[in-house]
Amino acid sequence: MNDQENFETLAVRTQIERTQFLEHSTPLYLTSSFVFEDAEDMRASFAEEKQRNIYSRFTNPNTSEFVEKVCKMEGAESGYAFATGMSAVFSTFAALLNAGDHIVSSRSVFGSTHSMFTKFLPKWNIETSYFKINEVDKIESLIQPNTKILYAESPTNPAVDILDLEVLGQIAKKYNLLLIIDNCFATPYLQNPIKFGADLVIHSATKLIDGQGRVLGGVTVGRADLIREIYLFSRNTGPALSPFNAWVLSKSLETLAVRVDKHCDNAFKVAKFLENHKSTNLVKYPFLPSHPQYQIAKKQMKLGGNVVAFEVKGGIQAGRDFLNRIRLCSLSANLGDTRTIVTHPASTTHSKLSEADRLETGITDGLVRISVGLENVDDIINDLEQALGN
Ligand SMILES: *Cc1c(COP(=O)(O)O)cnc(C)c1O
């Protein structure tokens, strides 16, 4: 992060240059291309002798402002913004890997990222080896001569486990691997993986960065030489973020700190309530001292995030019954919204996995994931309480 300004200040004050109208809020630049002064300006722009906007698939003032803010927040040199979190993940891997390269990844990654590893990257002879959350000491044995990337998310989805980013950073350095962290659950406000040795950080901006369930977006930030490769790949293959979504997301970053503070405060209270309820098992929230990786969470995160996982006693049916009794909270596939969202992974997002595969990523039959929102926390807790029954 910038030494001169604190997080909240740069979130609010980072902006592109004003136009001749001296507008206070950044305008929306809905333009697919930009004009040149003359032939020489056009030549020099294409030759990259000057930094300027040419075409909005490459750069646009709104996407540049959004990227610059995320870079400052993450302490990154450079970045590129994408239409979705998944286009950020895919383009980052596609830009940096060659056929025959190998990835070592945490098994607990976002569902579509796992599908990319298992169904699509093998088409280019790129294979992935996995380590489980409690197998960080096995990572070194998975590394091969052709391993190029070490990949992880922390906190994980949906089980809210924590991986030690410092340890991952040390392994990546020792074996000269690129460490790439999907920092979506933490946001740039709660955790900065570059400090622990990450080369690149990816966000699905769809989640807490937008924070209001409106737009899709993604961003990759980190080492300038790697971002240059990602930029060249993306400018030619077309996964760019739209100017409108960039404008929304750039505004959203202005309120990220206050929103996430409140999300975390509500989530902690929800976690405490669930921990003391007789119909629940195994409440997992990174900043509850009972969390298995509590010390690591405290070391690398500012607060515990907005996601709480817990188990309803009674297995799959009890989990489904709990969802059916929910009144205020939403049953929805998103997270990081102002609205509290409750999901039951075993019967929905992860229903196609075998029970053994589910258990590998900590998804027990009764596991419920709550993305705690910004409603009054008493109302959230009342809803959960009536849904848990007696
Ligand atoms: C949602 C999510 C993604 C994918 O983001 P989209 O914007 O939905 O494409 C990637 N990683 C994590 C951890 C996510 O939660």
Side-chain angles (χ1 to χ4, degrees), residues 257-316:
V258 280
R259 285 187 288 108
V260 172
D261 272 338
K262 186 68 179 169
H263 273 292
C264 294
D265 190 38
N266 283 357
F268 186 72
K269 287 176 179 151
V270 166
K272 294 280 268 186
F273 159 76
L274 291 169
E275 195 171 42
N276 292 321
H277 197 284
K278 61 180 184 311
S279 304
T280 66
N281 279 328
L282 199 108
V283 177
K284 271 171 67 202
Y285 183 69
F287 270 36
L288 278 184
S290 59
H291 189 285
Q293 298 99 26
Y294 172 70
Q295 294 301 341
I296 304 170
K298 280 278 186 182
K299 177 180 74 172
Q300 65 196 27
M301 296 176 77
K302 184 179 162 81
L303 294 165
N306 83 315
V307 181
V308 182
F310 74 99
E311 207 179 278
V312 184
K313 282 186 188 164
I316 262 200

Side-chain angles (χ1 to χ4, degrees), residues 14-32:
T14 300
Q15 72 180 104
I16 49 172
E17 267 176 52
R18 295 198 167 99
T19 70
Q20 76 270 30
F21 299 115
L22 299 181
E23 65 281 342
H24 194 194
S25 175
T26 302
L28 177 53
Y29 292 90
L30 284 184
T31 178
S32 31

Side-chain angles (χ1 to χ4, degrees), residues 83-87 89 109-110 112-113 151 153 155 157 182 184-185 202-207 216-218 334-335:
T84 63
M86 279 323 299
S87 53
V89 173
V109 289
F110 187 68
S112 294
T113 305
Y151 187 77
E153 297 171 10
N157 179 30
D182 180 333
C184 170
F185 268 47
I202 299 177
H203 286 281
S204 165
T206 313
K207 312 297 168 53
L216 300 168
N334 198 10
L335 65 95

Side-chain angles (χ1 to χ4, degrees), residues 350-377:
H350 294 72
S351 62
K352 291 196 186 70
L353 297 184
S354 68
E355 190 178 348
D357 280 348
R358 280 206 299 270
L359 290 179
E360 270 199 2
T361 48
I363 303 166
T364 53
D365 283 347
L367 185 86
V368 171
R369 185 194 76 186
I370 307 182
S371 163
V372 180
L374 299 181
E375 303 94 338
N376 185 299
V377 71

Side-chain angles (χ1 to χ4, degrees), residues 38 54 61 73 106 158 161 199 229 263 273 308 318 321 325 350:
D38 50 31
I54 298 174
M73 291 173 164
S106 160
D161 286 306
D199 299 285
E229 295 302 314
H263 273 292
F273 159 76
V308 182
D321 291 345
R325 286 192 294 261
H350 294 72

Side-chain angles (χ1 to χ4, degrees), residues 30 36 50-51 79 144 166 188-189 193 240 267 280 285 313 369 381:
L30 284 184
F36 302 97
K50 42 172 100 167
Q51 260 209 329
Q144 306 173 6
E166 192 178 357
Y189 179 57
T280 66
Y285 183 69
K313 282 186 188 164
R369 185 194 76 186
I381 289 174

